[in-house]
């Protein structure tokens, strides 16, 4: 069994080009001519914190299986590193309460390890449920390929994740 824990923390600055979407749902229907379209490129750094633990390995060949138990061996490994990050977000406000968006970024570029590249692509919908709260529903694709070092001190991870997400944004 392999257990992997990963924390991904993005720190970036962005600038909006195009229309300015509202930061509140108006009390009355607006007279805005929709759609509103904007693009936000961003740049910054990504902090990756990865811990991996190997506790058991089972190989299945035909009807036979062989198991190895690593509980008595220290096979914990992990790394924490910063890497450059470039990305962008494209948004389309369809009506007062509804907007669609696509976001993607790439980080690493081989600067923090022998192999270091991660990317993510997200798409979703924002729905304003009142004048200061919006709900998000979307889907995310994420991939990381990281290798560093050689021999006993080597650490590597190649992982693909994807799935739906929900969220909420509160505006004060």
């Amino acid at each position: 069994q392999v257990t992997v824990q990963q924390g991904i923390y993005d720190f970036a600055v962005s600038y909006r080009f195009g229309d300015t979407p509202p930061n509140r749902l108006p009390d009355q229907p607006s007279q805005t001519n929709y759609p509103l379209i904007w693009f936000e490129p961003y740049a910054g750094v990504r902090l990756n914190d990865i811990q991996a633990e190997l506790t058991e390995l089972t190989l299945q060949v035909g009807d036979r299986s062989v198991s190895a138990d690593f509980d008595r061996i220290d096979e914990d490994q992990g790394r924490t590193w910063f890497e450059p990050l470039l990305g962008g977000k494209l948004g389309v406000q369809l009506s007062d309460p509804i907007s669609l968006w696509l976001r993607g970024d790439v980080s690493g570029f081989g600067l923090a390890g022998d192999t270091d590249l991660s990317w993510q692509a997200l798409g979703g919908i924002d729905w304003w449920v009142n004048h200061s709260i919006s709900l998000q529903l979307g889907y995310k694709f994420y991939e990381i390929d990281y290798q560093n070092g050689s021999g006993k001190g080597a650490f590597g991870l190649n992982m693909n994740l994807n799935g739906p997400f929900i969220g909420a944004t509160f505006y004060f």
Side-chain angles (χ1 to χ4, degrees):
Q1 176 180 352
V2 177
T3 303
V4 177
Q5 293 182 348
Q6 180 178 16
I8 306 167
Y9 309 95
D10 294 342
F11 305 93
V13 294
S14 69
Y15 185 83
R16 180 176 297 132
F17 295 96
D19 298 320
T20 301
N23 61 1
R24 304 193 155 283
L25 182 64
D27 294 327
Q28 302 292 325
S30 73
Q31 302 303 317
T32 305
N33 291 324
Y34 290 106
L36 301 177
I37 300 171
W38 67 92
F39 178 69
E40 298 175 354
Y42 57 91
V45 295
R46 174 169 288 156
L47 171 63
N48 280 293
D49 180 27
I50 298 177
Q51 303 299 318
E53 179 183 11
L54 176 62
T55 56
E56 182 180 343
L57 178 64
T58 302
L59 299 174
Q60 183 78 34
V61 180
D63 293 338
R64 298 176 50 158
S65 67
V66 177
S67 291
D69 185 359
F70 291 96
D71 284 338
R72 286 177 250 130
I73 302 173
D74 183 13
E75 291 296 329
D76 294 346
Q77 285 198 355
R79 295 285 189 276
T80 301
W81 72 95
F82 284 97
E83 58 191 21
L85 169 71
L86 294 174
K89 181 178 180 180
L90 175 66
V92 179
Q93 184 92 20
L94 300 176
S95 64
D96 285 338
I98 303 291
S99 63
L100 302 174
W101 52 270
L102 295 171
R103 178 182 151 202
D105 60 52
V106 177
S107 67
F109 309 102
L111 298 176
D114 299 333
T115 302
D116 176 26
L117 184 68
S118 67
W119 65 270
Q120 66 179 347
L122 301 88
I125 183 170
D126 281 1
W127 173 44
W128 287 86
V129 293
N130 71 31
H131 69 277
S132 61
I133 300 172
S134 70
L135 301 178
Q136 295 83 41
L137 176 64
Y139 202 86
K140 178 178 180 175
F141 297 92
Y142 172 76
E143 180 177 350
I144 185 170
D145 185 7
Y146 180 81
Q147 305 288 326
N148 197 31
S150 62
K152 189 162 178 66
F155 180 80
L157 178 68
N158 188 331
M159 184 170 54
N160 297 301
L161 302 170
N162 66 76
F165 66 88
I166 58 172
T169 304
F170 301 89
Y171 295 85
F172 299 100

